[in-house]
Amino acid sequence: MAPIQQSALDLAKCFKGEQQLITWEIAYSALCDPDTAAKSQPLRDFLTSDENVAILSSPWAPFPKPSPQEQAKFESATAPISVTPAQNEHYNLDEVKEDSLWLSKEAQISEYAALRLAVQEWQTRPTVQLLSGLTEEEVLSVKEAAGLTNLGASTFVPNMSILRTPATLDEQTNAQFNSPDQRKLRLIGIYFSTCTSILRVSQMLLAWGAARDLRTTNPGYPSDYRVCDDRFEQLGQTLADRHNAKEGAASDAPALDRCITAFDQRVEALEGCTWSLPRSIEEDVAAQWILSQTTQIAHILHLTLFHADTNTKGLLTSSSVELWFRTIADWGFFKDFPEKHEGQGPLITLIQVLISEISVAILKPQQIFDDLDHGRSDEWSASSYILDGGVLERLTRALQVSMISGPTPVLPAAFAWSSILWRLALHCHQTEKHREHQLDLAAPGSRMSLPAPSQLEEAALHIARLEPSETPLFESLAKECVVQDVLGIMATLLRTGTTALGSSIDQVSRDKFRLLYAQIIRAALNTDAIDFSHDGLVDLVHQILVGERSAHNWSAHDAPRHIDDPVVTFFREDSTLREKLLESAHIYYPFQVEPLLLFSSALIRGEGPKQNGESTTYDDLVQMGSVTQRMPSGFVDYRLEQEETNENRVALAVDLPQFIKSSTSSFSAQRRLLAPNSAPQLEASMIIDADTPGVILDDTAQPYIARWRYPHSALEYFYHLLSTYAVGSTKVVYATHETASATDAAKIIELFADIMHSSLQASRARGDGNSCSVDVLTALSIGLEHSPDTVSIVLTIFEEQLLRQYQDPSSEVSLQLLVACTHFIQALIAVAPNRVWPWLVRSRLLQSDGTGGSLASILIGTEMVLGSYQFLIGCIRIFQALVVDAVGRSVSRKSSNSNRVLTRFNASAAPESGTSEKSMSSTLLTFGKMLASIYGTSLGWKYNSPEDRLHINIGICEAFSFILKIAYSVDDAPDLGQKLTNIIAPTASYITELYLTRSRNDLPTNPILSSLLSGTDLLKNTLTSGPALSKRQTQSTLQFSEVLVRVAILLERPWTHLEQQLFKATPLLARLYVTSEVWKSPVVTLLEILVRGAVRVVEDHSHENKGTPLKQEYHEPPSLLGHLGPKTAKNFMLVLSQLDEPLKITDIQKSVWNLLTAVVTCKQRWFALYLLTGTTPREMVKSKSKTNPQAPASKSLLSRAFDALSHLDLNRQNPPWSLWTAMLEFITSAQNHWSWAMGDLRERKEFIQQLIAFLKWISNQPPPKAEEAIELRSLENKFASLAAEILAMHLHTARQSGDNASVKDVFGALAYYQDEALRLPPYKIALHANLQKNIEEKFPGVKLANLKRTTLQPSPYGPGFFYDIEIASSLLDFDGKWLGPRLGQGFKAEVERANRNLGLVDSHVRLLHSWRLLALELSHFATKDPRIVTCLIQVTNQCMKANADSSLPEALFGQLMILRADLAFALLKRLVEDKVRSEEARLLLGPVWKAVRAATADFDNVFSNEEVDYYRTLLKVLYLTLHFYLVDASDKVDPKATSFRSSFRGTIVQPKNKDEAPINTSLELLEILSDTVAKGFRSLATQLHNDPSSVSPSDFALLTALVQRIIAIPEMATSHSQITLLFANSNTVRYASSLFSWSDRLTLDTHSNGSGTTSDPIYGELSLLFILSLSSVRGLAETMAVEGILSQLNSANLMNYFRRPGGMGPFDTPVRMHSIWTKGILPLCLNLLLSVGAPIAAEISSFLNAFPEQLQRSSNALNSRHVGKITLNLASETHSLALISSIIDAVKVAGVREGVQPGDVAPLDWDKENVKEDIEGWVGRMGALRERVVGDGTQAYEDKVVAEIEAAGVCLGLGNGS
C-alpha cells in the first residue's frame, strides 16, 4: 500500500471551518464500525499518510520530541502569512499558540504536534460543551419526557453523568469556559485521549492484519476469517513490520521489548502526574491521568500479546522473556492492582487477563511441544530462552514466587510452565536413553565417541538443581497450580476477557485468548497433570469452545456469519485434545452424559457449513459405536472372554435394553426411583443384543462399569433419556432405573435446539431458504409417526415446568429448564410452526384473561426477585420468531397449489400452521400486549446483569419496529385487515394506539426516552464490551421512535404525545449525535421526521375543565431548538454544520442534508436562519449593535452547499449523486421558502456555471442500458430536475432586475431537457404487465400492488424503489421460483428490474415537472431572442406529440398528459400575449388536433367521460393555436406571412420537417368545427341536463370562442357553405335554442351583497352567445331565420323577465338578464338583419315590440332625470337599438324596392327622439357623462362608453343636421 502525504495543518481553514481535522479519537470511533469506515476516503487517507503511519508504527511514543525543525514548522504554521490574528474573529490565535507551547513543554512533545492538539481542542469546543451536561431547563425537560419525575427508576438514572449538575452550561460563562485553566484541562484530556486512541487504533489494525496472515498461512482458520476489508488489513500488516523494525535494537523481537518497556513506564506513571498544573485543575487532571495511564497500559498489553504470539514466529529470546517476567514480578504480578479511580475497575480486570495471556504466549508451550515431538528442536535459535539455563532457573523461581501468596494472573502461565518442564525432562530422559542404547550397541572394547550434551540438556540441568529429592519440580509446580484452582482462574479470566472485548472488532483477540488457554490444557493433558475427570475441566473446555456464542447470541436472526471457529477446528484437529477430551466424552457416554452434551453443543455452534463429505459433530453423534454404563444392580448375565489377555473383555449373555417402560403409569409430580423388580410388564428400548462384546472399565466396586460395542445414534438415546423426564412417563434408564435429571434434560433440549439452528443456518448459507434437513429431523425424533415425538416431549416438559415454577418460584433448576425450552421452541418455529401455534393457543404461557399467564407469574415471582431475566429474553425471542413466521407464511398459508413442504419435512404436510389465522392473530396480540406492558414497566426492575435490561429493550423494540414496518410500509389499502399481512394487523393496531395517542400517558413513552438517555451516558472509552449492547439498544430505540412517528404521519394522526415528548428530549438527541458516529444517521433521520411531522400541529382548542373557555395551545409547529438552551442550540448547530466532516461518510452527510431541507421547508424559523446565514437571530441583533461585529464561527450551510456544488468532478469514479442531489434539494427548498434570505442567485456565478456545465455533460452521456446504469441515470435525472428549478429561479431573478444576458448562458445548455424531458417515460409495459400476470398466477391472492411501498419509508432509486423487495422476499421466498434456478432469473430479479425501471420513470416525471418551470420562465424572454421562440414552439410541439402518441397506462400517466397540456397552454398563452408571429407556430395545429383526437374516441360523449379536464385543457391549447392564423390589422406583411397565406388558400401547409406529411389546414378546421364544436356542444348540453355539477359555464364559453376564432380566420370565408351544412346536419342551433329555453331552470346560485343567494341564468347568456357566433355565418343566419329562431327564443320562459314592469336594467336582479338582452338578443337581431336583410325586418320589429317594458326602459336609460349611473351595457344597448331602429326605418322607406310591404313592417316601439335628445345633452356635457359612468374605473372603460353613446347618436342622426 503506497502511503500518501498528509495535508499540512492550515490554521486559516481550520478556524474558518473549511478544514475539520481528523482526530485519533474520531479515527478510533470510526474504525469501531469497519464497514462504514471503509466508505470514508478521508479516513483511509489519514491512516495511510506517511506521518500517521509513522505514528502508528511507534504508538507507545507517538509524538516527536521538541526540536528546532518542529519549532520551525510551528512558527511557519502560526505566522501572519498563514493565519491572520484579527480581533473581531471568533478565535484567538495567541491563546492557541500559548496553549500549544505549554503542552509541548509539559508533555515533552514537539511544538507542531502540540499545535495540532490545540487546534483540535478549539474545534471540539462545541462538542465538549454539548457533552459536559444539560442545563437546568434541559434537565427538567428531559426528566419530564423520560418520566423520571414520577417513576421509581432511581436504580440507574440518577447515576447518569449527563443529569448531574456540575458547572453546567447555563452556569458556566464563555469567559469561564475559555479561561486558561479550563483550556489546559481540555487540552490535557485531548492529549490523553489521543495517546490512548493511537494505541488502540494501532492494536486494532495489527489484529486485523494478523487475521489476514492467519487465514492465509494457518489451515485452521477459514478463508473468510476477517474483520475488515483488505485495505485496513494491509495497513495492519505494514504496521506489524514497522513495529518490528530493528532500528539498532539488539533484540530479535524489538516490538515486544518496546511494548514491555512502554508498559513498565506507564505503570510507573501511575504514581501520579508530574506536570506543573494550575491548582484549580489538579484534581481533575489527576483523575484523568490515572484513567489514561491505566487505559494505555491495557492497550499496550494488547499490542504486546500480538507481538508475543502472532508476530513472532520462533521462540523468543532470553532477553525478551526475562524482561517480561522481571517487569511483572517487580509489580507483584499484578495480583493486587492499585485502584485509584472508579473508572479503573473494568480496565484492571482486563489488564490481568492480558498479563495472563501474554505470559502464556511468551512461553509458547505449543511450539515447544510440537518441535520436540517432531524433532525440530535443533532448529531453535541459540538465543532462544528455552536454551538458556539461567533464564529457565530464574523463570521457574519467579513463577514459584508468584504462587506463594495465592493465585495471580500468571497462574495459568505457571501451569503451562510445569508442562514445559515435564516435556523438557522427558526429552532429556529420551536423549539419555538413546545415548545409553548407542553405548549398548557399540562393540566391546571399542572407543565410541558419544555426542556432547546438547544446549537444551545443559539448560535443563539448571532445572534439575532446583528439584526437590522426592517430587519432580514440574509435578510439584503443577500440583500447586491445581490446588490454587488454576482451571477456575482460567475460566474467570477468559470470561472477563471475552466480555471486556465483546464486539466484532476484537474477534481476533477473543479467539487468541481462547487458543492460548487451549494450548495450556493441551500441554497439561500431555503431562497427565489433569485428566478428563478433573473438576472444572469440562466446564472450562466448554467455555473455551463456546466463546461468545451463547444460546441467545448464536441463534439470533442477526448473528454473525456461520463460519468455522478456529478454536473449534483446533480442538477437532489436534490429536491430544481430540483424544483426551472429545473422544473421552464419547467413551464415557452415557455413563457421564454431561460432557458429551456440552462439548457437542459447543462444537456445533462453532462449525461452519461442511463440504465434500467432511465429518461434523452431528455425524459423530448419529454414528456412535459404543455405550459406557454402570451395569444394573445385580446384573450378571455376561461372560468373560479372552481371559488370557487380562483385559477384562466380556460379552453379553442376554439382551440388554437401555430403557424400559412399565405398562402402569404414575402421575406423581415427584421424580421416581424404581427398584429393579418393580416393573412387572416392561417395554424395552434401544436393546443391545446378546453376545455383544464389551470391556469392564472399572471393576473396583459393584456394579461394574462396562463399555459395550453398540452402533447407534446418541441423539436417539438422548430422545429416550429426555422422554423419561416428562410427568406421566413410565420410562426409565434400565441400568439405573432412574429418570433424567433436570440438568441433563435442559442440556439435551439445548443440544437439540443447537442442531436445528445449525441445520437452518447451513440451509441459509447454501441459499436454499430456511429449511431444516429431513435427516436431522428424523435423527432428533421430530415428526415421527409414533407418539410422543421430541416436540411433544419438550412442550410437555415446558408446560410442566411452567406449573412447577408457579408452585415453587424459587426453583432455579426448573427455570433453567424453561430457558432451554425457549431456545428449542425458537428453532421449532422455523422448522415446524404447525406444532407451535396450536400448542401456544392452549399453553398456560399466555392467557387472554388478562392475568398474563405463566410468563407474568414467572417474571414477577422468580425473575424479578432474582434479577435475572433469561426466561423473559427467551420468550421475547419466541415472539420475534412467531412474528417472522406469521408474516413469512402469510402467502404460503393461503396458497392452495404450493408444492413446497412448508413444515420442512418433505412429507405430505400442508402449509397451514396447525390453527386458524384468527387464533394466530389473537395469540400475537396477547403476546404483544404482554411485552408492551413489560417494556413500559421494566425501567425500575432489579438487574444483576445490565445486559439483561439491554436485551429486553432491544428485543421488544426490534420486534415492534418490524411489526409496524410490515403492517404499514407496503400496500396502500387503508384497512390493515385487507393486506397480505393481515395476521399482524391487530398487534400493529394495538401498538399504534398505545404509542400514537394524544393522551398524556407517559408510561408507554418512558422507556423510549430512558433508553435514549442511557445512550448519551455511554463512556467514550476504548473498550467495546458494554458499549456494544448499549449502542444497539440506542439504535433500536431510535429506529422504533422513527417508525412510530412515520406511522403517525402516514395515518394523518393529530400530533401525538410521543412526538411532543421527543421534542422535549431534543437535548438528548443533540448529544447522541456527537456521542458516537454510528448514531449520527439515525438521530438525524429521527430529527428530520419529527420536523416534517410537526407541521401537523395546528391550533388545538381543548377544555381543561368543563365550562372553561377554549384554550389555544399551538399556533405553529414547535421549534426543534426550542427545548435547547441558547448555548446548547448554538453548539448543536455548529456540530451539525460540520456535515460529518472530516470523515465525510456519504450516508451520514446525505441524512444531514435531508434534515436541513426539512428545516427550511417546515417552518423551523430560527434553525433555518442559522443554516442560511451562519448566525443565530440573537447573534444578528448583537452584531448590529457592535461597531466591529464578530465574524461567524463558520460558513453558513447554504454557502457550503453552494461551494461544494460549484466544484463537481463529474468524471470521477462513482460520483456521489445521492449526496449532490440532497445538497441541491436543500438549496432549491431554501430558495422556495426563504428567497429573501438567499440573496441574488446571479452572484453565485460559479454555481450557475457548474449547473450549466453539468447539463452539457449529461447531454453527451450515452443512454443507459445496464441495470446499474439505469439506477445511475435516475439519480442524474433527479439532479437535472433540481438544476432546472434553480435555473428557473435564476432567470426569474434576472428578469426582475432587467438582466437579459443571463438567459443566453442558460439557453445554450438546455439540449438535455429538450431531448429527454418531453419524451414518453421509459415505462416498460411488457415487463410490468407480465410481472403482474405471472405473480398473480404463481401466487394466488397476491397482487403486485400488495408489494408496493407506501409513503412510510420511501426508498432511493434502485432495486427496492417501488416494490419492497425485503418484504416481498419474506412473503414469497417459500417458492423456489422467487429466486429462480440461477441468479437473476427468478421473480425477485424481475421485481428489481421493475423497480429500477419505475425509478427511471419517476426521474423522468421529475424532469418534466422541472422543465415545465424552466420553460415557463424562459417564455418571459421570448421577445428577447428568436431562438427562445423556436424552442418554446418545439416544446409545445413535443408536448402535443407525446400526448398523441402515448400508449402508456392512463391510470399511471394520465396526470403527465395533463401536465404536458398545461405546459403547452401556458407557453402558447405567453406567445400570444407577446404577439409572436412565427411560421413554426402555424405548424402546431396538426399536432394539437392530433392530440385532441387521441384524447377521446367519442366526441358525442366527450364531456361525460373521466378525462374531461384534460380535454378542456386541450381545447384551450387549440384555441390559442388558432391565434397564429389570424391577421391583425396592425401586422406588417412580410414574405413569410404572404407565403403562408397563399399556402393556406391552397389548403395545404408544408411542414418544416420534410419527413412529416403536409397538413390540410382547412379540412382540419372543418373537422374541429364538426367534432369539437358541433358534437361537443351537443355532448355538453346533454351532460348539463344529466349532471349539472360536472359542467362548467367556461366549457360553453370555450366552444363559443373556438367558433369565433375559426370563423374569424379570413380564409375560412370560402368555407361558409360547408360550415352551414355541417352545423345544420348536427342540429346545433336547435340544441342551443333548447338550452336557452331551459336556462331559467339550469341556473347557478350566486351570492349578492345583502340579498342572499340569487339564481343566475348564465346558460341563457352562453347559449345565446353561441347562437350569435353562428349567426355571423351568412348561411347559418339564413337557416336560423327560416327555422324561426326568434320565435323559439320568444317562447322561452327566460324572456318573461323582459316583460316585467320596468323591464330589466343593468342593476336589476338577475343582473345577467340585461347582459342577455344587450349582448345576445340585440346583436342577434342585427346579425339576422345583416345576413337576411329586409325580409326579416318585420319579424325582428314584431319580436322586439313584444317587450314594450324593456324598450320603454331603454328609451329612458340615458335620461339624466331618471338615471344616475351609466354602464357600458346601457350604452351598447342604446347603440344596438339605434342601429336596429334605423335599419327598420330604412326598410320601411325602401318598401317595395327591398321586396317588402311597408305596412307589414311595424316601427320599433322605442322613443328614439327622446333618446336622441338625451344623447345630445350628454355629448355636450362630456365631463358630466364621465362622472355618471360606473364600471372598472379605468379610462379605457369610460372611453368605450362615450364611443358607444356617440355612435348611437350618429345612428340617430346627430351631426347630420337631422
Side-chain angles (χ1 to χ4, degrees), residues 585-596:
H586 284 253
I587 291 172
Y588 286 98
Y589 149 86
F591 176 65
Q592 295 179 4
V593 72
E594 184 178 4
L596 182 61

Short mmCIF file of all heavy atoms in Angstrom, two decimals, residues 585-596:
data_model
loop_
_atom_site.label_atom_id
_atom_site.label_comp_id
_atom_site.label_asym_id
_atom_site.label_seq_id
_atom_site.Cartn_x
_atom_site.Cartn_y
_atom_site.Cartn_z
N ALA A 585 -15.13 -37.92 25.98
CA ALA A 585 -16.56 -37.67 26.21
C ALA A 585 -17.39 -38.74 25.53
O ALA A 585 -18.43 -39.17 26.06
CB ALA A 585 -16.93 -36.29 25.68
N HIS A 586 -16.96 -39.18 24.35
CA HIS A 586 -17.66 -40.27 23.67
C HIS A 586 -17.50 -41.58 24.43
O HIS A 586 -18.44 -42.37 24.54
CB HIS A 586 -17.12 -40.42 22.26
CG HIS A 586 -17.60 -39.36 21.31
ND1 HIS A 586 -18.52 -39.60 20.32
CD2 HIS A 586 -17.30 -38.04 21.22
CE1 HIS A 586 -18.76 -38.48 19.66
NE2 HIS A 586 -18.02 -37.52 20.19
N ILE A 587 -16.29 -41.80 24.95
CA ILE A 587 -16.03 -43.07 25.64
C ILE A 587 -16.89 -43.20 26.90
O ILE A 587 -17.47 -44.24 27.18
CB ILE A 587 -14.53 -43.19 25.98
CG1 ILE A 587 -13.72 -43.37 24.69
CG2 ILE A 587 -14.28 -44.34 26.94
CD1 ILE A 587 -12.23 -43.30 24.91
N TYR A 588 -16.98 -42.12 27.66
CA TYR A 588 -17.70 -42.18 28.93
C TYR A 588 -19.20 -41.93 28.78
O TYR A 588 -19.92 -41.88 29.78
CB TYR A 588 -17.11 -41.18 29.91
CG TYR A 588 -15.78 -41.64 30.46
CD1 TYR A 588 -14.59 -41.18 29.92
CD2 TYR A 588 -15.72 -42.56 31.51
CE1 TYR A 588 -13.37 -41.60 30.41
CE2 TYR A 588 -14.50 -43.00 32.01
CZ TYR A 588 -13.32 -42.52 31.45
OH TYR A 588 -12.12 -42.95 31.93
N TYR A 589 -19.66 -41.80 27.59
CA TYR A 589 -21.09 -41.65 27.33
C TYR A 589 -21.72 -43.02 27.34
O TYR A 589 -21.13 -43.98 26.79
CB TYR A 589 -21.30 -40.97 25.98
CG TYR A 589 -22.57 -41.37 25.24
CD1 TYR A 589 -23.77 -40.73 25.49
CD2 TYR A 589 -22.56 -42.41 24.31
CE1 TYR A 589 -24.93 -41.11 24.82
CE2 TYR A 589 -23.70 -42.79 23.64
CZ TYR A 589 -24.89 -42.14 23.89
OH TYR A 589 -26.02 -42.52 23.24
N PRO A 590 -22.92 -43.19 27.89
CA PRO A 590 -23.73 -42.19 28.60
C PRO A 590 -23.57 -42.26 30.12
O PRO A 590 -24.41 -41.74 30.83
CB PRO A 590 -25.14 -42.58 28.18
CG PRO A 590 -25.08 -44.07 28.09
CD PRO A 590 -23.70 -44.40 27.58
N PHE A 591 -22.50 -42.97 30.55
CA PHE A 591 -22.25 -43.00 31.99
C PHE A 591 -22.10 -41.58 32.53
O PHE A 591 -22.61 -41.24 33.58
CB PHE A 591 -21.00 -43.83 32.27
CG PHE A 591 -20.62 -43.86 33.72
CD1 PHE A 591 -21.45 -44.45 34.67
CD2 PHE A 591 -19.44 -43.28 34.15
CE1 PHE A 591 -21.09 -44.48 36.02
CE2 PHE A 591 -19.09 -43.29 35.49
CZ PHE A 591 -19.91 -43.89 36.42
N GLN A 592 -21.35 -40.78 31.78
CA GLN A 592 -21.29 -39.34 32.04
C GLN A 592 -21.82 -38.64 30.80
O GLN A 592 -21.11 -38.53 29.80
CB GLN A 592 -19.85 -38.89 32.34
CG GLN A 592 -19.27 -39.47 33.61
CD GLN A 592 -17.83 -39.00 33.84
OE1 GLN A 592 -17.30 -38.19 33.08
NE2 GLN A 592 -17.22 -39.53 34.88
N VAL A 593 -23.06 -38.20 30.86
CA VAL A 593 -23.70 -37.66 29.67
C VAL A 593 -23.43 -36.16 29.51
O VAL A 593 -23.43 -35.63 28.40
CB VAL A 593 -25.22 -37.94 29.72
CG1 VAL A 593 -25.91 -37.07 30.75
CG2 VAL A 593 -25.84 -37.74 28.35
N GLU A 594 -23.14 -35.49 30.61
CA GLU A 594 -22.99 -34.03 30.54
C GLU A 594 -21.83 -33.59 29.65
O GLU A 594 -21.99 -32.67 28.85
CB GLU A 594 -22.83 -33.45 31.94
CG GLU A 594 -22.76 -31.93 31.95
CD GLU A 594 -22.65 -31.37 33.35
OE1 GLU A 594 -22.57 -32.15 34.31
OE2 GLU A 594 -22.67 -30.13 33.49
N PRO A 595 -20.62 -34.19 29.74
CA PRO A 595 -19.52 -33.74 28.87
C PRO A 595 -19.86 -33.83 27.39
O PRO A 595 -19.56 -32.90 26.63
CB PRO A 595 -18.37 -34.67 29.25
CG PRO A 595 -18.67 -35.10 30.64
CD PRO A 595 -20.16 -35.21 30.71
N LEU A 596 -20.48 -34.92 26.98
CA LEU A 596 -20.80 -35.06 25.57
C LEU A 596 -21.84 -34.01 25.15
O LEU A 596 -21.74 -33.43 24.06
CB LEU A 596 -21.32 -36.46 25.28
CG LEU A 596 -21.65 -36.75 23.80
CD1 LEU A 596 -20.40 -36.60 22.95
CD2 LEU A 596 -22.24 -38.14 23.64
#
